[in-house]
Amino acid sequence: MNFEVNAGENLGDTGWEDLAGDGSRQHKERLEERARMYRKFGKMAMLLAELDGTEPQNDAGGESDAIGVSSETTDSSEDEAHIDLQVESLFKQMENILGDVDKSLKNQIEYSIVNHKKINTRDALERELQSGTSIPELDIRFDKDGKPWISHSPRAGARFFFSKPIHNLNSEQVEQYSRRLSLEDGLQMFAKYKKDNENHRMVLELKELGPSSGTHNQYLENIKSLLDKHEVADSAIFATLSPSILRSAHDVFPDNSMILNGGIAPIISYNLAEKSLGPSEEKEYTAKIPHVELVFSNSTEIVERADGYGKQTGYLWTRLPKETVNTLAGLNTEGGTGAASLTIVNMFANVMEKLSPKMAERMRKYYAAQLDKLGIQKQVAIAKKNPAESLLRTKAQMGQDSIIYSDTSPGDWATDLPDYNKNGGG
């Protein structure tokens, strides 16, 4: 149902009345507009369907108008009054649900909850935004023409064995061959939600920037032009598995927050960027399987590689490169956010929790303290089961600045979350 009325048209002619006086119609229009934006949040879709079902059906040009007042006029008036009451009740419910939407959006920003779901298509991104996701994560890859696409996988096509690497296809082929969503289309959708709530943010995970560092700047400038075009550059947080890509992204976007994804290896890590423990020889070892490579590194220097080019690249750190530490720490002193992943540490701690909660807590606090010493903030994935409880425990034990990667419903955060400083102590 749409309350929009053309110029000169009487609202009463549409079958609706402005029951609450001046300004009510405009208020309802705004409520309905936001409700349809967040129509997949909680019970919103059901409520909108019920609201649509109450719309009066006028038969334009029908004989009823020419006949005049019938004996059923009284009954008709009673029916209309009943519908009016129904509509008022539905709008009250809508207002309450939108209150939950705003509470969820606020909590997601305040607790830095990034929705870490695999988004490849328009439908997937629309679903996340419509459900009230405040900070979606968008994986970025490039085709042969240098056009950025939103794709978790390095390959396009429905069938794994018959799919083709995105970087080998031109833009037209990617469009035809798969249902991938271009970054420009994704930003256009995101901008609509940012207009509704300025707090909306997005994480752009740079899966690759071409075959070598020589293409980094060109590809990043392509992203920058799109962010500027849709006026959302200040909403972008950049994440990457590659320290080389992170350095290049920081050069082009010096004021934007950065996250070093991947994993810091628990137990075998040794002070991350220090040499006080562990082997003194710096190495990088790569294990490769089709379309996937895992990099194990204790190097304090950035090793140039074709990270993510046509494949999935994962890193396991036992020591962070010095330049990466300086970049991330520098962001934090300049008022931005520079973070590194402690997700694998937290995964180990979650398993250990069942055997020894105290040992799990010590593990979380130890590695969080190492990043604190380096001046780097933390990014952690929380458990899907009991997400609010997992969030509060992680925040209490790893620090208030943790950037949380989640995989839950935005409705899970439409609640009054307790102060984690008072619940589990940090």
Side-chain angles (χ1 to χ4, degrees):
M1 179 195 314
N2 191 336
F3 283 96
E4 186 174 333
V5 180
N6 295 327
E9 185 178 8
N10 188 324
L11 183 63
D13 292 341
T14 67
W16 301 100
E17 294 179 356
D18 193 357
L19 298 177
D22 292 342
S24 173
R25 177 167 62 85
Q26 289 78 10
H27 179 58
K28 288 178 180 177
E29 287 176 347
R30 177 59 177 150
L31 285 178
E32 187 175 2
E33 178 187 8
R34 295 197 75 224
R36 296 196 184 280
M37 284 182 67
Y38 299 105
R39 55 181 165 272
K40 293 190 182 298
F41 184 93
K43 299 179 180 178
M44 191 73 82
M46 188 182 303
L47 185 149
L48 286 170
E50 191 174 349
L51 185 67
D52 289 342
T54 63
E55 184 175 6
Q57 300 299 315
N58 294 327
D59 296 325
E63 294 184 1
S64 57
D65 291 337
I67 296 174
V69 179
S70 70
S71 59
E72 298 179 358
T73 301
T74 303
D75 291 340
S76 176
S77 298
E78 290 177 355
D79 289 343
E80 290 176 6
H82 178 66
I83 290 175
D84 289 340
L85 291 175
Q86 278 186 298
V87 170
E88 289 302 302
S89 174
L90 292 173
F91 270 99
K92 286 291 184 184
Q93 295 176 55
M94 185 185 296
E95 202 161 21
N96 290 335
I97 296 176
L98 286 171
D100 286 341
V101 169
D102 289 329
K103 184 179 292 185
S104 173
L105 293 174
K106 181 176 180 293
N107 279 336
Q108 289 175 69
I109 291 294
E110 183 176 341
Y111 287 79
S112 301
I113 302 168
V114 180
N115 202 343
H116 187 218
K117 292 183 179 177
K118 295 179 179 64
I119 295 172
N120 294 309
T121 65
R122 173 178 294 276
D123 288 346
L125 181 55
E126 281 185 339
R127 184 165 57 248
E128 289 309 308
L129 293 171
Q130 289 169 4
S131 68
T133 292
S134 186
I135 316 177
E137 183 194 63
L138 308 177
D139 296 326
I140 308 301
R141 296 187 182 275
F142 291 82
D143 63 25
K144 189 164 60 175
D145 298 329
K147 179 177 179 177
W149 295 84
I150 298 171
S151 179
H152 177 77
S153 171
R155 304 174 73 83
R159 302 289 182 182
F160 180 77
F161 290 106
F162 299 99
S163 61
K164 298 180 181 179
I166 292 175
H167 71 266
N168 285 344
L169 305 174
N170 61 37
S171 300
E172 184 178 356
Q173 288 172 320
V174 176
E175 189 79 44
Q176 294 175 347
Y177 191 68
S178 71
R179 297 175 61 235
R180 293 293 183 267
L181 176 65
S182 72
L183 177 60
E184 176 157 28
D185 288 344
L187 294 181
Q188 188 174 15
M189 293 165 58
F190 175 83
K192 172 185 174 183
Y193 284 82
K194 180 176 171 61
K195 185 177 179 181
D196 175 73
N197 188 317
E198 282 292 320
N199 288 325
H200 275 289
R201 298 288 182 269
M202 60 184 161
V203 172
L204 300 182
E205 180 166 359
L206 303 174
K207 290 292 190 181
E208 63 168 90
L209 285 177
S212 70
S213 59
T215 58
H216 287 189
N217 191 70
Q218 173 195 340
Y219 284 7
L220 286 165
E221 288 295 337
N222 290 351
I223 292 178
K224 187 176 187 301
S225 66
L226 294 177
L227 292 173
D228 290 342
K229 175 181 177 181
H230 295 283
E231 301 181 341
V232 293
D234 61 335
S235 299
I237 301 167
F238 291 92
T240 180
L241 295 160
S242 164
S244 178
I245 290 177
L246 186 141
R247 176 181 59 194
S248 298
H250 180 62
D251 288 342
V252 177
F253 300 96
D255 299 322
N256 290 70
S257 297
M258 301 278 160
I259 302 172
L260 180 67
N261 269 347
I264 289 171
I267 303 174
I268 63 172
S269 292
Y270 42 94
N271 292 339
L272 305 180
E274 302 173 12
K275 294 185 178 181
S276 58
L277 298 172
S280 59
E281 186 178 2
E282 296 181 14
K283 289 185 176 180
E284 224 177 60
Y285 171 74
T286 303
K288 295 184 178 181
I289 58 177
H291 313 320
V292 177
E293 65 174 1
L294 296 176
V295 180
F296 302 85
S297 179
N298 72 333
S299 176
T300 61
E301 303 299 325
I302 292 178
V303 179
E304 296 291 347
R305 304 175 66 260
D307 288 307
Y309 190 62
K311 53 188 173 290
Q312 297 280 24
T313 300
Y315 274 90
L316 195 64
W317 299 102
T318 60
R319 186 191 286 137
L320 299 182
K322 294 175 183 176
E323 186 178 341
T324 302
V325 171
N326 293 336
T327 296
L328 297 177
L331 277 168
N332 292 319
T333 59
E334 295 164 7
T337 297
S341 172
L342 286 178
T343 291
I344 294 181
V345 169
N346 199 40
M347 287 170 61
F348 268 82
N350 288 339
V351 173
M352 195 180 296
E353 195 94 44
K354 299 176 182 178
L355 301 174
S356 174
K358 288 186 177 180
M359 190 177 296
E361 181 177 355
R362 282 201 299 271
M363 177 180 283
R364 292 190 187 98
K365 287 187 173 181
Y366 172 79
Y367 287 100
Q370 299 307 311
L371 286 185
D372 287 340
K373 286 180 184 178
L374 299 173
I376 298 174
Q377 294 192 21
K378 283 84 65 180
Q379 174 254 297
V380 187
I382 60 175
K384 296 180 184 180
K385 186 177 181 181
N386 301 322
E389 177 185 330
S390 177
L391 168 68
L392 297 174
R393 181 178 63 245
T394 302
K395 285 284 194 177
Q397 295 177 8
M398 288 186 159
Q400 293 186 35
D401 59 22
S402 300
I403 297 172
I404 305 297
Y405 271 34
S406 181
D407 191 7
T408 55
S409 166
D412 292 331
W413 311 112
T415 183
D416 294 322
L417 295 177
D419 186 341
Y420 44 82
N421 285 323
K422 300 177 182 177
N423 293 270

